[in-house]
Amino acid sequence: MFRQFRKIESGEQIVVGYDLSMGGPDYSAAQFMSRTKYDVPLVYHSNVIATEATNAIVPVLEKIFEITGIPPVIAPERNSGGVFEIERMVEMNRLGKYQVFVEPTGAGTMGTTPSKRYGWTTSSTTRPKMLEDLKHALDKNLIRVYDSATVNEMFAFIVTQTSHAWRAQAERGAHDDLIMSLAIALQLHQDARVAQMSDEQWDTAIDQIPDVNLIDSKGFY
């Protein structure tokens, strides 16, 4: 299901983090973040497999393009069998109304062109940075999150000690799909390869940031 908190406007740039579910108790989640207004006006969250979720999300991406005039950029997570669904999403984009994020793959070798690697990989390398960046953005009120389900997940997101290290994760019986999709969206928001806002747009966005804490010290580790 979609939860919308305000209208998306012409000229607005939207980036989307997409956490895919392969079944079971996991949810598919997508956070639609505005790089123009520094908020999350739209959230998708449903206990369905990725195929069904993608079928719902793609028409919305196309609609966003029709409203904004700017193709939204979506980064589906590659983990847990997501590669097949990402390839399907690329093939569905026949009208070019959205962009599937291309993950950096390095410089390659002389005389060759690196193959495109669509989507986002959450790994032992990227995960800590994703979560630290998200925590910083929330602590400093750099983004606005309206979705109560997302905020509730933050309160159940804790640091636990594993056999090898400390790890930030959802507590037992809780979910983290909304947090991880939001963390992916924030990485796209920060990616220098995604078109930058003008100085005027940046100043306007900063002026609109509310002086309130969305979560307190008890939540989001």
Side-chain angles (χ1 to χ4, degrees):
M1 61 176 289
F2 284 94
R3 297 188 286 268
Q4 186 167 1
F5 303 95
R6 66 166 177 81
K7 291 184 178 180
I8 293 174
E9 301 174 1
S10 176
E12 192 169 354
Q13 186 179 21
I14 301 294
V15 293
V16 187
Y18 180 16
D19 186 357
L20 298 77
S21 169
M22 293 297 118
D26 291 338
Y27 281 66
S28 290
Q31 300 270 8
F32 294 69
M33 181 178 290
S34 171
R35 296 190 80 241
T36 310
K37 294 182 177 291
Y38 277 53
D39 67 351
V40 186
L42 182 65
V43 175
Y44 175 84
H45 193 217
S46 187
N47 183 212
V48 298
I49 62 173
T51 300
E52 186 174 343
T54 298
N55 289 344
I57 290 170
V58 165
V60 173
L61 293 173
E62 294 175 339
K63 182 65 174 179
I64 289 173
F65 169 75
E66 293 168 3
I67 293 171
T68 65
I70 301 173
V73 181
I74 185 168
E77 193 175 45
R78 295 176 57 88
N79 305 52
S80 303
V83 175
F84 171 79
E85 193 61 25
I86 292 170
E87 292 174 351
R88 192 171 76 91
M89 180 171 278
V90 171
E91 293 175 357
M92 292 172 71
N93 190 24
R94 296 183 180 90
L95 300 178
K97 291 187 175 183
Y98 59 88
Q99 298 176 8
V100 180
F101 179 74
V102 178
E103 198 170 49
T105 56
T109 58
M110 185 69 70
T112 65
T113 301
S115 60
K116 288 186 177 181
R117 183 182 174 93
Y118 290 103
W120 179 270
T121 300
T122 301
S123 66
S124 58
T125 300
T126 62
R127 192 176 191 275
K129 181 182 185 303
M130 292 164 59
L131 295 175
E132 185 60 34
D133 286 353
L134 179 57
K135 185 176 187 298
H136 175 78
L138 293 168
D139 287 346
K140 299 299 183 181
N141 297 316
L142 299 180
I143 57 173
R144 283 173 287 178
V145 177
Y146 311 114
D147 184 50
S148 60
T150 300
V151 174
N152 288 339
E153 275 197 9
M154 293 176 188
F155 282 108
F157 204 75
I158 60 175
V159 172
T160 59
Q161 187 171 15
T162 67
S163 57
H164 301 289
W166 291 92
R167 176 182 172 87
Q169 62 187 26
E171 63 185 9
R172 182 172 297 182
H175 296 275
D176 65 0
D177 40 81
L178 287 166
I179 288 178
M180 296 310 297
S181 55
L182 184 61
I184 294 171
L186 182 62
Q187 292 301 303
L188 268 64
H189 176 83
Q190 297 176 155
D191 195 303
R193 295 171 304 144
V194 180
Q196 298 293 313
M197 292 191 298
S198 67
D199 291 341
E200 182 179 352
Q201 288 174 316
W202 173 270
D203 291 339
T204 300
I206 292 297
D207 290 340
Q208 292 175 347
I209 295 174
D211 187 22
V212 297
N213 286 319
L214 295 175
I215 57 176
D216 62 23
S217 58
K218 296 180 181 178
F220 201 59
Y221 72 92

